[in-house]
Amino acid sequence: MQIATTIEEVRTLVKSWKKEGCTVGLVPTMGYLHEGHGSLISRAREENDKVVVSIFVNPMQFGPGEDLDSYPRDLEKDSAYCESLGADLIFHPEPSEMYTEGFCSYVDMSVLTEELCGLSRPVHFRGVCTVVNKLFNIVAPDRAYFGQKDAQQLAVIRRMVEDLNMDIQIVGCPIVREEDGLAKSSRNTYLSAEERQAALVLSCAVTCGQELVAAGETDAKKIVAQMKALIEQEPMARIDYVKAVDGLTMQQIDTVKKPMLVALAVYIGKTRLIDNFIV
Ligand code: PAF
């Protein structure tokens, strides 16, 4: 496995692979990898001749006062993990390599980004769309892999690829959970032992919502209300949002319909965690 820090190195290597007729899978990440990322890398390994993992904490997708500086980083551990899963290349650029002086071109999206996380993180999706676009241009993958845990991000990227006619297959992969149900996230490391326990309220709310749908509840507002009531019982939890939306457009819906995304963002202490389920 190789580690590249420049765009030039990546382009040269990918060009040589493509000359040999190899397919390329890209797993974009911000590092501090866990089994959720691992499932994306393994899937990419199964479906492509070559696998590239990008590790880049993208400053553009963090708003003022967010956790850009404290976002956990451990390249050595990440490299060993990627190698163990059979990745061929890690792309780990410096911010100055990705955003050269005078940088002023952005990929922006309306509608899908105006709900859920887009409301509380107004610059987030512009940063995500811009960096993912750049990564697609640099790596030129046949397939790119994203987790369902960031369900709105996945929907936004699918929309961007369709709207901008990008010839890349977007593969969404299921949420990977800890044994007790907490969705795996690099941000789980911020939680104290007590907060870690309180954070289980997110997956409990997801289970509650899923059970209501399975029992035949069709009123999306009732589902959301019961999930909120459950979360409010946890004193360490503060709800950012719990919403039922159309799974493609991210617009709020009142009646259960397929595809529906029920998504939640909840602060446990200072840490903002997300979870969701799809119907
Ligand atoms: O999901 C993430 O880790 C990031 O948003 C992504 C897709 C790597 C873009 O920086």
Side-chain angles (χ1 to χ4, degrees):
M1 189 189 72
Q2 299 187 48
I3 301 182
T5 55
T6 68
I7 294 166
E8 188 61 38
E9 285 171 89
V10 176
R11 286 222 163 110
T12 306
L13 195 57
V14 171
K15 253 185 212 155
S16 72
W17 290 343
K18 295 227 161 160
K19 245 190 198 159
E20 294 164 11
C22 294
T23 56
V24 178
L26 169 67
V27 183
T29 81
M30 297 207 300
Y32 214 73
L33 305 178
H34 49 69
E35 287 90 337
H37 300 108
S39 72
L40 308 181
I41 299 169
S42 298
R43 177 91 183 262
R45 181 66 289 159
E46 278 165 27
E47 297 180 349
N48 302 276
D49 299 315
K50 301 288 181 186
V51 174
V52 180
V53 180
S54 64
I55 297 181
F56 179 60
V57 182
N58 174 34
M60 198 189 284
Q61 69 190 70
F62 290 79
E66 290 188 352
D67 57 343
L68 171 62
D69 293 335
S70 57
Y71 197 84
R73 294 157 167 92
D74 190 341
L75 183 63
E76 211 173 300
K77 202 159 155 239
D78 288 349
S79 305
Y81 190 44
C82 288
E83 185 143 37
S84 75
L85 295 171
D88 297 283
L89 173 68
I90 289 179
F91 177 41
H92 178 57
E94 286 296 322
S96 57
E97 176 74 5
M98 293 296 275
Y99 302 114
T100 47
E101 219 188 306
F103 185 94
C104 56
S105 304
Y106 303 91
V107 179
D108 223 336
M109 184 182 294
S110 59
V111 187
L112 278 78
T113 62
E114 288 161 7
E115 267 292 338
L116 308 178
C117 289
L119 284 175
S120 33
R121 305 188 70 192
V123 299
H124 177 65
F125 286 111
R126 177 164 107 147
V128 169
C129 287
T130 303
V131 82
V132 169
N133 221 294
K134 285 171 68 68
L135 290 168
F136 285 177
N137 286 334
I138 294 162
V139 178
D142 298 278
R143 299 180 190 86
Y145 296 80
F146 296 88
Q148 187 60 54
K149 186 178 142 272
D150 294 292
Q152 186 177 18
Q153 170 172 279
L154 178 57
V156 162
I157 287 165
R158 283 192 198 285
R159 185 79 243 175
M160 176 183 80
V161 163
E162 189 178 335
D163 286 354
L164 302 183
N165 309 101
M166 297 169 155
D167 192 14
I168 297 169
Q169 190 190 332
I170 301 301
V171 183
C173 300
I175 297 177
V176 177
R177 296 181 181 278
E178 303 285 353
E179 249 172 50
D180 59 8
L182 180 68
K184 299 237 181 207
S185 165
S186 306
R187 289 189 168 100
N188 290 349
T189 53
Y190 297 152
L191 302 169
S192 67
E194 209 186 336
E195 288 171 342
R196 170 67 184 73
Q197 193 57 32
L200 290 179
V201 77
L202 278 92
S203 51
C204 288
V206 164
T207 306
C208 160
Q210 284 172 323
E211 283 173 0
L212 287 167
V213 174
E217 180 56 70
T218 56
D219 186 339
K221 282 183 290 183
K222 270 194 195 154
I223 295 167
V224 166
Q226 292 209 31
M227 290 170 67
K228 277 185 170 169
L230 191 151
I231 297 166
E232 279 158 3
Q233 282 169 26
E234 170 50 63
M236 296 185 94
R238 181 168 57 84
I239 294 175
D240 179 3
Y241 66 75
V242 181
K243 279 184 185 167
V245 298
D246 178 297
L248 298 177
T249 64
M250 304 290 111
Q251 302 307 293
Q252 215 163 311
I253 52 176
D254 292 337
T255 307
V256 172
K257 57 159 249 185
K258 290 180 188 175
M260 173 175 83
L261 167 70
V262 181
L264 52 146
V266 177
Y267 285 93
I268 303 292
K270 285 187 178 150
T271 306
R272 185 176 176 279
L273 299 174
I274 56 173
D275 205 337
N276 69 75
F277 69 96
I278 303 239
V279 179

